[in-house]
Amino acid sequence: MKLTTLIYLEDQEDWLMLLRNKKSQDINHDKWLGVGGKFEFGESPLECAAREVYEETGQPLENAQFQGFVTFHYTQSEPILIIVYTGTIANREVRPNDEGEMHWIPKSRVLDLELWEGDRLFITAILEQEGLFDLKFYYNAQRELVKVEDRSKN
C-alpha cells in the first residue's frame, strides 16, 4: 500500500487548491486537490505533510489538524492510504511548482471544482466539521466512483 498525505490549507474563508495539470500521466490530471504527496523513507504522516507543504508552497505548515483517512482503490493498482489534514501557512504567497496551478478558492466554491467524486464526501465532512473520517473508495478505469465504504461511524 502506498502512503500519502493530503493537506487543505486555509486562509479565512478560502482553501489553497492545486489544479493538477502539468503532468499528463498523473492519475490526478485535471483534478483539483489540496497539497500533499508520497511519504519519504522514515517520515511520520505529519512530517510528510509538512515537507510536502513546504515543497509545494515554499512555506512551513502551521496549525496542522488531522481530519481522517481515505483508502483509494483505482482499478487493479496498489491501494493508496491518504492521511488528510487541514492547516495554515503564514501568507497567501506561494511559489510555482511542477505539479500544477495553485489558487485560493472560497470554501463555498470548492465543491464546484473538478474533484474526484469521493473527495466531495470527505471535503463536505471537513467543511461541516463532522469529525474524523475513515473512508474507502473504489474507482474504475474511467475514474468513476463505483463503491464507498464508510468506517467512520463504526
Side-chain angles (χ1 to χ4, degrees):
M1 180 176 286
K2 295 178 186 176
L3 300 173
T4 67
T5 57
L6 180 61
I7 307 95
Y8 291 96
L9 297 168
E10 300 179 88
D11 181 44
Q12 298 175 14
E13 292 302 313
D14 297 334
W15 270 1
L16 183 61
M17 298 294 290
L18 173 62
L19 174 60
R20 300 282 295 254
N21 61 356
K22 292 191 177 175
K23 298 177 182 178
S24 61
Q25 298 302 315
D26 183 354
I27 189 174
N28 295 304
H29 187 73
D30 288 336
K31 300 285 188 190
W32 290 83
L33 303 170
V35 299
K38 299 178 192 117
F39 280 57
E40 291 185 355
F41 180 79
E43 285 183 322
S44 72
L46 194 51
E47 289 169 332
C48 176
R51 178 185 51 76
E52 288 288 344
V53 167
Y54 186 77
E55 287 177 1
E56 293 184 23
T57 70
Q59 296 188 46
L61 173 63
E62 300 175 357
N63 306 309
Q65 293 187 328
F66 172 69
Q67 298 293 330
F69 296 107
V70 173
T71 306
F72 181 89
H73 294 268
Y74 179 69
T75 64
Q76 298 303 311
S77 301
E78 181 179 10
I80 301 170
L81 177 63
I82 305 166
I83 301 164
V84 182
Y85 292 92
T86 55
T88 61
I89 52 179
N91 62 62
R92 295 172 76 99
E93 296 178 27
V94 295
R95 67 178 172 207
N97 67 66
D98 61 359
E99 302 291 331
E101 299 172 19
M102 306 266 270
H103 299 277
W104 289 96
I105 305 291
K107 289 188 240 181
S108 63
R109 292 194 40 238
V110 168
L111 294 173
D112 297 332
L113 300 173
E114 183 66 31
L115 306 168
W116 286 97
E117 197 59 36
D119 288 15
R120 294 177 191 289
L121 299 174
F122 67 80
I123 287 172
T124 298
I126 294 170
L127 292 173
E128 296 181 3
Q129 300 179 345
E130 294 177 3
L132 298 177
F133 52 82
D134 185 354
L135 300 165
K136 193 182 295 187
F137 301 139
Y138 296 84
Y139 288 87
N140 63 21
Q142 291 75 41
R143 302 195 317 174
E144 299 167 329
L145 183 62
V146 294
K147 182 179 177 185
V148 175
E149 294 179 16
D150 185 351
R151 308 296 299 165
S152 308
K153 311 296 189 260
N154 294 343

